[in-house]
Structures are given as C-alpha cells and as structure tokens.
Amino acid sequence: MKKTPNQKAWFMVLPVLLLVAFSAIIPLMTVVNYSVQDTFGNNEFFWVGLEWFEEILHSERIHDALGRQALFTLIILSIEIPLGIFVALHMPKKNGLWSSLCLVLVALPLLIPWNVVGTIWQIFGRIDIGLLGYTLDKMGFDYNYTQDSFAAWATIIIMDVWHWTSLVVLLSYAGLKSIPDAYYQAAKIDQASRWSIFRYIELPKMKGVLLIAVLLRFMDSFMIYTEPFVVTGGGPGNATTFLSIDLVKMAIGQFDLGPAAAFSLIYFLVILLISWVFYTIMVHSDKEAG
Amino acid sequence: MAKITLHNLAHSYNNDDNYALKSMNHVWEDGAAYALLGPSGCGKTTLLNIISGLLTPSSGEILFNDQNVTTKDTATRNIAQVFQFPVVYDTMTVRQNLAFPLKNRNLDANYIKTRINDIASMIEVEDILDKKAQGLTADIKQKISLGRGLVREDVNAILFDEPLTVIDPHMKWQLRTQLKALHKKLGHTMIYVTHDQTEALTFADKVVVMLEGEVVQIGTPTELFEKPAHTFVGYFIGSPGMNILPASINGDKAHINGHEITLAAGYEKHSGNMEIGIRPEFAQLSNNPSDLPITIKRIENVGHYQIIRAAHDTLDIDIIASESAEVSEDMQYVHFDKNRINIYADDWLVTP
C-alpha cells in the first residue's frame, strides 16, 4: 500500500509545545532578555551585550558566595551519603511492624516544609528560648548562630543533615532490599568479612540508587535557599550567604535585574554542567565495568 | 569430603505442628551424587538449607562424618552451594571471584594462584579470567559460582539449588554433562535439588523423591522407574506418568470394575485403598476381549513413539506404543504386562 505523506500529525504536538513554551521557554527567555539589557525604570531598556555576564564572572562577591556554596554542598554530601548508607545498613531488613515503624520515623523529616524546618531550627537554636541554644549556652559553650559564623554554619549543616539524610537512607534501603538472600548466603559460605560484604555485594548493588541520591542532594543543596534564609538570613555578615540567597538579594533587594538575570543563567548552567559531568562519569564507569 | 547423616531430622518454620520437613533418617554416602526431586513446596529447599547450615532444624541432628554440626554455622561446615540464579561478585574479575573464598581463609598466594588455574581449566574459563564478572552470560556466571565452590579442596559437600533454572535450554545440557564429569573426576558429595526429573535422573546416582516434607523413595533411576515406592513417584517420574487404577486385590487376581486382571504373584489381603500401577510403557493395545475394555480418546505422536490417551469408564489410561504400531478399530482393549504391575495400598507399594 502506498502511503501518502501527511504532516498533519505535527499538530498533535502543538499542545505540548504551547505548554512547554509558557512554562519554561518564555520565562527563561525573559531572563535572557533581562540579562543583556539595562533599565532605569519606566520600562525603558538599553542593550548592554555581555556586560552583565562579565561583571558577574569577575565579581568577588559572587566568587565568595560560590565558594561558600561549594563548601556547603561538599560538607553535607560527605556527611549525608555515608551516614545515610550507614543508617540504611542498620535498618531491619525483614518486613514487619518494626521495619515499617523505622521507615515512617526516617521519612518524617522529608514531609516537613522547608520553611517549617527553618523555623524549627531557628527557634531550637536560639539561646534565649531555644532548647538547643539555651542548653549549650548554659553548659558554657559559646554558641550563638546570630553572631558566630562557625555556629551559624554548624546549625545550618546539622539542620540539612537532619532534614535530608532520610532521603539517602530511603534510597539506600530500597537498594539493599533488592539484594537477594542468596548473595549473603554465598558470602557466608565464602567466609567474607562484613567489610567485604559491604564492598563487593552491597555497594555495587546500591550504586544506581546512590547515583540518584548524590545527584538529588547535590542539586538541592546547591540551590538551598529557604532554610538558611529563615535561620540566619545569610548572616552573620555574609557568612551563610549562599548563591540563592545572594541572587535574591541582588534581584529583589537591590533590584539589579540585569546582573541578577545574568547571575541566574550562569547559576543554572553551573548546576547543569556539574550534574551532567557527574552523571556521565558514573554511567561511563558502569559501562566500562560491564 | 564427608558422609552426611541426618538423624531424626525435622523442621517446622513456626515451631508448631505444621512440619515443612517430617522426621527423617538418612545417610548421604561420601562421594555420591544425589538428586533431591519433588514438586515446589515439598521441603527440598528446606532440607538443603538445613544441610548447608542456613537453617537450624527444630529437632534432630545432622552429622558430617561423625561430627555433630547441627548448630554450627555455614562457614564452619565447609560446604559449597550453587544457587538458583548465579551469585557472583559483579565488580570483581573472574579470577578475583575464584580467589575470594581462598583469600578470606588467608591461604598462601602461590597456592591460590595454582589452584585458580586448575579450577579455571576445569570449568573452562581460562580465557576470561581477567574479565569483570559483570556482563557475562548466566551460564558462565553459574560456572563461576560453581568454581568458587570447587576451589576449596577440602569442601565437605557441594549443594545445588536448582542451578539450571535461569540457563538457556541448549546450555543446560552442556552444563549438566560438565557437572557430571566434574563429579566423576573430583568425587565430591553432591546434592542437587530440582523439580525437573530429567535433570535428576541424568545427574544423580541416587534420586531422593520428596513429597510434602517426606522422603517417599530413595533409589537409582531404574528403581524409581520400575518399582515406584509411592504412587506419587509413579506419576511424577516418567512421561506420561504411571497409570494408577483403583482395584480390588484377591490373591493373584486384581479386579477393576469387575474386570479380572491376572497378576504375577499372589498378594496378601491389605486394608486400605488398593490400586494397581502400570507404566504406559508396559501397557499394550489389544483386541482380546479378556483384557480390560477401553475407549481411545486421542493419539499423540511424539516422534519416535505414540502416546495413546484412553479411558476405561472414567479412569484415564495412557499407553505408549511404537511409532509403527497400527491402531485399528477393533483395538478396544488394553493388556498389562503382569510382571510390571505394582500394587499399592493407601498409595504405598506392597510386595507379594
């Protein structure tokens, strides 16, 4: 049967195209539009080319924020991933009331909105009325997250670990549950040590979910805004001003729309790039092994 | 290598009266190849796990040679096990996989090296020794997990838990042959769990047939075929299985619905439900009105022979006839070879 070429099917993708256009492309283009223009209000714009990008790329303030951001992400990843695996390894493996209870307890922090988490820790850490802050203060520790940048960092890191380690635990737990009993039995027969079991059975089987866990935690922590904003507001000084907080300050606080737009685009590209590099390395090493 | 003795062994998973394994006494001779055959849920895997030490029996003892190992763990029993699906360490190379059990036992590096080369040539994986185990085919992985068991010279027994389930049919035959050859060569005590009669009969010197947590017969393939000790063995082994027909037995005569069949010997009176068992191979179509009348339902030609599906009244009777056998209109009867008829009382074989 001879088929007549018919291009009408393209109309079928039109709704999706419109949806994506309005939800992603047009807003993004608006940002691009701002990033190459300057305005003094009254809806008058001047073309400035790549000036804003140059300014952002050479801005010491942004460099500092990026440094803080990278350090923060590195710290929470290096705590949450091993801790999450550790907790998952010690969760009860058999299905039952006990394991369900553990799962619910572990999942609980994930259900709390960011704002609320921030508020909880903001109050928890206050030295006048907060349980944690008051106790530490009375025990003689010099703990005050509004004045001491180390205390502020510690508070925010512990808060993030408290909030998000659960995600790593749940993912790792799912990975562990998928390992058939026979592997453990074989390991017993081979007299494998606990470490060998972890290294050669559990870790390889968890690799896939851990990749997801690291990616999710990287992206989320690199974009963190609400919690530190509620707890420290970026302070003391600029000690906890991460990229998002700085961006909001620039865009809404100072109303520097052009630089903020350029900043947003660079920020977005950095996350995209790191995620892509990371993902490619992991997938590639998987293929090499196979 | 060891002789394995089961002494009054029984197991129930919930420690109640619901026994997955009913009390049994059995000796697995040193160096013999056994198959544990039975339908799913008959307790064969339970028995295997008790032998390997993954499960502690609720009562009874298990001895390796003369040593009681009932409460000993898997590692100290020094057994090897090949599982239903291949268990290999994916991130290791084939060589590292084979070396793993030896390294964990802190053996000399030179010894490990020569040992691995020996085993690798035995299971024919020399050319892929330095490949990662991940990505190998299921049958090669299964060979490697077998190799991990063989690599220890002093292993007491090798247990197989339906090891060919995930293997392609054309590789199954090859692996089975290889396994048999390895057994001849190395002389390990081997216990092979399966629900496939072909696997059991080709692999084992002795087949242990299990049903509902009980060993119903232990015998050579020939014994299982000719003298099934239980009606279950009769119809589970053979294709098609044994014809089991309710009958009343009177001396050397059996009566099926009033039709008389002569037996080879006289039987004493037994209480209980009497049946005669006759293999389709020893039943023959006939036109002699003194034989048992039947109606033929259909004929299946399976290449080198025909299976005749017939019935006497409501009783199904299968007959195997040669490929060339003519089936004519007047063949309305079936003749049983009287020397091949077995008599069962309440499902158990009775002797004359």
Side-chain angles (χ1 to χ4, degrees):
Chain A
M1 198 180 86
K2 194 171 174 275
K3 281 185 187 165
T4 37
N6 183 348
Q7 305 290 348
K8 275 183 203 147
W10 287 106
F11 286 109
M12 302 283 188
V13 294
L14 205 62
V16 169
L17 203 69
L18 282 175
L19 202 70
V20 173
F22 276 102
S23 69
I25 300 172
I26 295 175
L28 191 67
M29 279 333 214
T30 319
V31 177
V32 173
N33 193 30
Y34 278 127
S35 73
V36 289
Q37 302 192 64
D38 194 4
T39 176
F40 301 107
N42 297 331
N43 226 359
E44 287 174 60
F45 288 91
F46 308 93
W47 172 260
V48 293
L50 294 177
E51 261 175 56
W52 295 136
F53 287 92
E54 272 170 45
E55 191 182 306
I56 293 294
L57 286 173
H58 293 105
S59 153
E60 215 158 285
R61 166 183 163 185
I62 305 288
H63 289 174
D64 290 350
L66 181 66
R68 285 190 290 270
Q69 183 69 69
L71 183 66
F72 174 74
T73 295
L74 210 64
I75 291 175
I76 65 108
L77 276 183
S78 58
I79 295 175
E80 286 175 14
I81 300 294
L83 184 64
I85 296 172
F86 180 82
V87 173
L89 284 174
H90 291 82
M91 297 257 290
K93 279 205 196 71
K94 273 195 190 128
N95 285 329
L97 188 68
W98 180 224
S99 77
S100 307
L101 198 70
C102 280
L103 278 176
V104 170
L105 281 177
V106 164
L108 219 48
L110 296 175
L111 304 177
I112 304 174
W114 292 263
N115 247 325
V116 178
V117 172
T119 312
I120 289 173
W121 283 82
Q122 206 266 349
I123 296 171
F124 191 45
R126 279 174 65 159
I127 50 170
D128 50 350
I129 55 167
L131 185 62
L132 175 76
Y134 185 82
T135 316
L136 285 176
D137 195 51
K138 283 285 170 273
M139 282 165 74
F141 289 101
D142 188 17
Y143 171 85
N144 186 344
Y145 64 77
T146 55
Q147 280 162 27
D148 177 24
S149 47
F150 178 78
W153 269 77
T155 309
I156 290 175
I157 285 168
I158 292 172
M159 173 179 69
D160 197 82
V161 168
W162 175 82
H163 195 186
W164 289 111
T165 305
S166 301
L167 182 75
V168 184
V169 173
L170 290 183
L171 285 168
S172 307
Y173 185 67
L176 284 174
K177 286 274 276 190
S178 70
I179 303 175
D181 268 349
Y183 278 87
Y184 292 104
Q185 293 168 1
K188 255 192 213 167
I189 290 168
D190 291 338
Q191 289 194 359
S193 60
R194 184 69 193 85
W195 167 250
S196 294
I197 292 177
F198 176 69
R199 168 72 185 78
Y200 296 113
I201 297 175
E202 289 167 338
L203 204 53
K205 296 273 172 203
M206 279 196 291
K207 198 172 160 190
V209 287
L210 282 180
L211 167 70
I212 308 250
V214 172
L215 261 181
L216 284 178
R217 282 316 297 133
F218 162 72
M219 292 190 295
D220 253 12
S221 68
F222 215 75
M223 296 188 270
I224 191 165
Y225 174 75
T226 317
E227 295 136 296
F229 180 76
V230 173
V231 177
T232 64
N238 272 332
T240 55
T241 301
F242 301 123
L243 286 173
S244 280
I245 295 179
D246 212 14
L247 177 63
V248 172
K249 267 187 197 165
M250 192 184 282
I252 296 169
Q254 301 157 226
F255 220 69
D256 285 334
L257 290 185
F263 185 6
S264 308
L265 287 175
I266 294 170
Y267 192 5
F268 165 61
L269 288 176
V270 167
I271 293 179
L272 194 68
L273 182 76
I274 298 179
S275 299
W276 180 76
V277 167
F278 181 74
Y279 185 79
T280 312
I281 290 172
M282 292 292 272
V283 169
H284 189 72
S285 74
D286 221 30
K287 264 191 199 145
E288 229 169 43
Chain B
M1 278 168 258
K3 180 178 83 174
I4 300 171
T5 312
L6 309 180
H7 186 65
N8 291 334
L9 192 79
H11 187 72
S12 104
Y13 279 99
N14 303 315
N15 271 320
D16 50 19
D17 283 341
N18 187 7
Y19 279 93
L21 214 56
K22 291 168 191 155
S23 184
M24 61 173 70
N25 287 292
H26 179 55
V27 177
W28 311 83
E29 294 298 342
D30 187 3
Y34 291 92
L36 260 176
L37 180 66
S40 301
C42 70
K44 53 193 196 304
T45 300
T46 306
L47 180 55
L48 196 75
N49 286 343
I50 288 175
I51 296 173
S52 68
L54 297 169
L55 213 58
T56 310
S58 15
S59 64
E61 288 173 340
I62 168 164
L63 285 80
F64 280 19
N65 289 330
D66 296 320
Q67 193 196 357
N68 188 342
V69 295
T70 315
T71 55
K72 295 269 167 59
D73 68 356
T74 307
T76 42
R77 289 188 192 196
N78 209 4
I79 48 105
Q81 186 160 355
V82 180
F83 297 88
Q84 205 165 39
F85 55 90
V87 176
V88 295
Y89 304 103
D90 277 338
T91 53
M92 296 187 193
T93 62
V94 174
R95 187 191 302 278
Q96 286 166 329
N97 258 288
L98 293 176
F100 194 59
L102 300 180
K103 280 218 175 109
N104 288 331
R105 288 169 174 80
N106 294 320
L107 295 171
D108 176 60
N110 280 325
Y111 169 75
I112 294 179
K113 209 173 166 186
T114 48
R115 189 69 194 151
I116 286 171
N117 289 333
D118 289 353
I119 295 298
S121 73
M122 246 183 252
I123 58 172
E124 293 164 6
V125 295
E126 297 131 301
D127 47 333
I128 51 163
L129 267 180
D130 291 309
K131 260 199 169 175
K132 277 254 163 73
Q134 193 178 22
L136 296 174
T137 56
D139 55 293
I140 294 182
K141 283 188 178 177
Q142 200 60 301
K143 270 195 207 177
I144 295 167
S145 55
L146 169 66
R148 272 212 327 276
L150 294 175
V151 79
R152 284 179 283 138
E153 275 178 290
D154 57 345
V155 65
N156 277 325
I158 304 180
L159 313 179
F160 298 87
D161 189 0
E162 306 191 17
L164 301 182
T165 312
V166 296
I167 311 294
D168 284 346
H170 69 284
M171 291 305 298
K172 269 187 191 178
W173 183 256
Q174 200 185 329
L175 273 182
R176 211 157 49 208
T177 320
Q178 217 171 14
L179 211 57
K180 183 107 191 161
L182 279 173
H183 176 252
K184 278 226 176 78
K185 192 165 170 187
L186 301 169
H188 286 104
T189 311
M190 289 188 177
I191 302 175
Y192 189 110
V193 164
T194 178
H195 56 244
D196 179 340
Q197 51 163 316
T198 325
E199 265 175 43
L201 298 176
T202 48
F203 171 79
D205 307 329
K206 280 208 170 168
V207 180
V208 178
V209 185
M210 289 186 71
L211 177 69
E212 288 167 3
E214 223 175 332
V215 172
V216 286
Q217 188 171 11
I218 300 170
T220 62
T222 320
E223 284 165 356
L224 295 183
F225 183 76
E226 288 179 353
K227 288 269 167 215
H230 189 274
T231 51
F232 170 75
V233 181
Y235 73 72
F236 192 68
I237 287 173
S239 169
M242 191 179 237
N243 297 308
I244 309 283
L245 308 167
S248 59
I249 309 294
N250 209 340
D252 62 352
K253 298 276 186 269
H255 289 89
I256 299 174
N257 282 347
H259 294 276
E260 189 179 276
I261 291 167
T262 310
L263 304 173
Y267 287 82
E268 278 171 37
K269 201 112 187 96
H270 286 272
S271 62
N273 196 8
M274 300 303 294
E275 282 160 317
I276 69 167
I278 177 82
R279 290 248 172 233
E281 286 83 352
F282 305 129
Q284 213 177 358
L285 274 183
S286 91
N287 51 11
N288 182 349
S290 65
D291 289 328
L292 190 65
I294 49 161
T295 47
I296 295 175
K297 292 199 290 187
R298 62 177 190 278
I299 297 173
E300 296 165 14
N301 196 325
V302 277
H304 54 292
Y305 60 87
Q306 314 177 56
I307 301 170
I308 296 160
R309 307 278 188 190
H312 166 77
D313 202 7
T314 55
L315 303 168
D316 285 329
I317 297 175
D318 295 328
I319 299 161
I320 289 185
S322 71
E323 194 186 1
S324 54
E326 290 260 347
V327 181
S328 60
E329 293 274 324
D330 57 344
M331 299 284 207
Q332 301 283 350
Y333 303 93
V334 62
H335 175 76
F336 298 146
D337 180 348
K338 66 179 179 184
N339 294 315
R340 301 294 194 163
I341 295 176
N342 293 316
I343 306 294
Y344 296 92
D346 282 338
D347 288 331
W348 291 95
L349 183 71
V350 291
T351 45

